[in-house]
């Protein structure tokens, strides 16, 4: 009841309403058009990735049935394997209450990696928690090493992070798992396009987790994931380089559209404020 209301005379109110209706309809239409463009760009991005990892990047390549319904045809020189044959050292995060906040510190040298780090693709988050030094040995089986791939197994799936030398020492929490790739079979960057930078496994996860109240990836489900393997590691690296270029361009277009939406939204808010307060 204490909110203040700006009240011009009746004629002015009606003129302001007509003006804002007309202007905001145009702004909203532009925002919706930009949102629609983003959806199309994202579809294009997924299509580019799917085609590259299943058919390769050359023109006119012969194809064959992959034997996996949702994958369909793949290049004749490609093969299908299962995740269990290209990964090792699989480990899910600790079970139970061993990593509750009360048992962790706000500072330290052993970072507790969470799905939030993977979503942000960085480790310097404001709400970081650290394992007390005296628990290092107890939790050593959950420690991450350079070359490990860590990913969520509960809730928000479809993202992953490669642990590198310049990332802090740490352990995975109970919502993450980790494994190491057999780099003699698969290039890490190529694998990340399949596993972390696209929705390639969305259908597989949906089918295997159907009926669950909480989507949860078990070791069995992960190990059963089909992996498309181009003929050689060099083929995989070429596909990765191609996708970096193509998707980089698409991502830039998406970023520009997102900036436009913010600019239009800010303009709309300013327009309304200035008009109803008599400044415009």
């Amino acid at each position: 009841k204490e909110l203040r209301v700006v009240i011009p005379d009746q004629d002015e109110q009606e003129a302001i309403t007509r003006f804002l209706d007309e202007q905001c309809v145009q702004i909203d239409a532009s925002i919706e058009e930009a949102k629609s463009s983003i959806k199309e760009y994202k579809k294009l991005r997924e299509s580019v990735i799917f085609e590259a990892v299943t058919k390769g990047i050359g023109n006119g390549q012969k194809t064959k049935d992959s034997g996996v319904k949702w994958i369909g045809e793949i290049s004749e020189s490609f093969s299908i394997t299962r995740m269990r044959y290209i990964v090792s050292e699989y480990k899910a995060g600790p079970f139970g209450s061993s990593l509750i906040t009360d048992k962790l510190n706000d500072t330290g040298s052993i970072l507790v990696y969470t799905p939030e780090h993977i979503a942000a693709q960085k480790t310097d988050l404001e709400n970081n928690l650290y394992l007390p030094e005296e628990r290092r040995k107890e939790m050593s089986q959950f420690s991450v090493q350079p070359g490990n791939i860590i990913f969520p197994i509960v809730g928000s799936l479809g993202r992953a992070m490669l642990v590198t030398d310049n990332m802090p020492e740490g352990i995975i929490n109970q919502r993450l798992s980790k494994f190491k790739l057999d780099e003699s079979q698969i290039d890490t960057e190529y694998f990340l396009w399949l596993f972390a930078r696209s929705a390639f496994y969305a259908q597989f996860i949906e089918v295997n987790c159907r009926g669950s109240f909480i989507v949860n990836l078990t070791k069995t489900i992960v190990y059963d994931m089909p992996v498309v393997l181009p003929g050689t590691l060099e083929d995989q690296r070429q596909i990765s380089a191609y996708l970096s270029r193509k998707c980089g361009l698409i991502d830039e277009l998406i970023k520009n559209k997102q900036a436009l939406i913010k600019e239009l939204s800010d303009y709309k808010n300013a327009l309304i404020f200035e008009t109803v307060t008599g400044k415009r």
Side-chain angles (χ1 to χ4, degrees):
K1 290 182 177 180
E2 292 299 315
L3 289 175
R4 300 295 189 261
V5 182
V6 181
I7 304 182
D9 63 46
Q10 190 66 35
D11 289 343
E12 186 70 12
Q13 290 181 40
E14 291 174 2
I16 287 171
T17 300
R18 288 194 300 271
F19 172 76
L20 288 178
D21 281 346
E22 179 184 332
Q23 293 295 311
C24 290
V25 162
Q26 294 180 45
I27 296 169
D28 289 343
S30 296
I31 289 173
E32 287 305 311
E33 185 179 344
K35 288 180 178 179
S36 179
S37 294
I38 289 174
K39 288 180 182 178
E40 292 303 314
Y41 285 139
K42 287 182 176 179
K43 287 180 184 177
L44 173 62
R45 189 181 190 277
E46 289 297 329
S47 176
V48 167
I49 295 170
F50 191 86
E51 285 297 306
V53 299
T54 57
K55 311 291 193 310
I57 54 178
N59 293 322
Q61 293 201 37
K62 293 183 179 180
T63 60
K64 64 182 179 183
D65 183 13
S66 67
V68 181
K69 186 176 180 180
W70 59 270
I71 293 178
E73 298 280 314
I74 61 174
S75 173
E76 199 170 55
S77 62
F78 290 11
S79 61
I80 296 284
T81 189
R82 295 285 170 176
M83 198 82 79
R84 62 173 57 87
Y85 300 118
I86 63 165
V87 304
S88 61
E89 302 176 23
Y90 185 99
K91 185 68 180 175
F95 181 76
S97 59
S98 58
L99 286 180
I100 59 175
T101 303
D102 291 346
K103 295 183 179 181
L104 302 174
N105 298 332
D106 294 331
T107 60
S109 59
I110 308 172
L111 176 66
V112 178
Y113 283 86
T114 68
E116 288 70 35
H117 292 110
I118 295 171
Q121 289 293 296
K122 61 181 184 179
T123 58
D124 56 337
L125 301 182
E126 289 184 5
N127 58 346
N128 276 351
L129 292 173
Y130 297 85
L131 187 74
E133 186 64 37
E134 60 269 22
R135 299 185 65 196
R136 176 187 292 272
K137 185 175 181 181
E138 170 200 348
M139 305 298 287
S140 61
Q141 60 184 313
F142 306 109
S143 64
V144 298
Q145 307 295 330
N148 284 160
I149 290 174
I150 59 176
F151 60 99
I153 54 174
V154 178
S156 179
L157 310 176
R159 298 294 296 274
M161 176 185 279
L162 172 66
V163 179
T164 60
D165 291 323
N166 60 355
M167 290 168 63
E169 178 185 9
I171 63 168
I172 54 174
N173 80 347
Q174 58 268 36
R175 293 182 290 158
L176 298 180
S177 278
K178 63 170 185 165
F179 58 65
K180 193 172 181 62
L181 290 174
D182 179 356
E183 295 181 4
S184 68
Q185 294 190 69
I186 190 162
D187 176 72
T188 301
E189 283 295 307
Y190 171 80
F191 177 80
L192 289 173
W193 283 107
L194 285 173
F195 193 69
R197 298 171 184 164
S198 70
F200 185 79
Y201 287 111
Q203 283 184 268
F204 178 87
I205 291 172
E206 182 183 349
V207 169
N208 284 275
C209 296
R210 187 175 294 161
S212 302
F213 288 107
I214 300 176
V215 178
N216 184 20
L217 280 182
T218 64
K219 180 179 179 180
T220 300
I221 292 173
V222 173
Y223 267 30
D224 202 38
M225 286 180 168
V227 180
V228 184
L229 282 180
T232 67
L233 287 172
E234 183 56 33
D235 291 337
Q236 296 174 27
R237 294 184 187 110
Q238 288 180 8
I239 290 172
S240 295
Y242 167 82
L243 289 176
S244 293
R245 292 192 303 272
K246 294 285 286 187
C247 292
L249 294 171
I250 297 171
D251 290 342
E252 189 62 30
L253 292 171
I254 291 173
K255 184 178 176 182
N256 291 340
K257 289 293 182 181
Q258 289 170 335
L260 175 62
I261 290 171
K262 184 181 185 307
E263 186 179 334
L264 288 168
S265 297
D266 291 345
Y267 173 70
K268 177 183 174 181
N269 291 334
L271 177 68
I272 294 171
F273 182 83
E274 292 176 7
T275 304
V276 300
T277 54
K279 297 183 179 68
R280 181 185 290 260

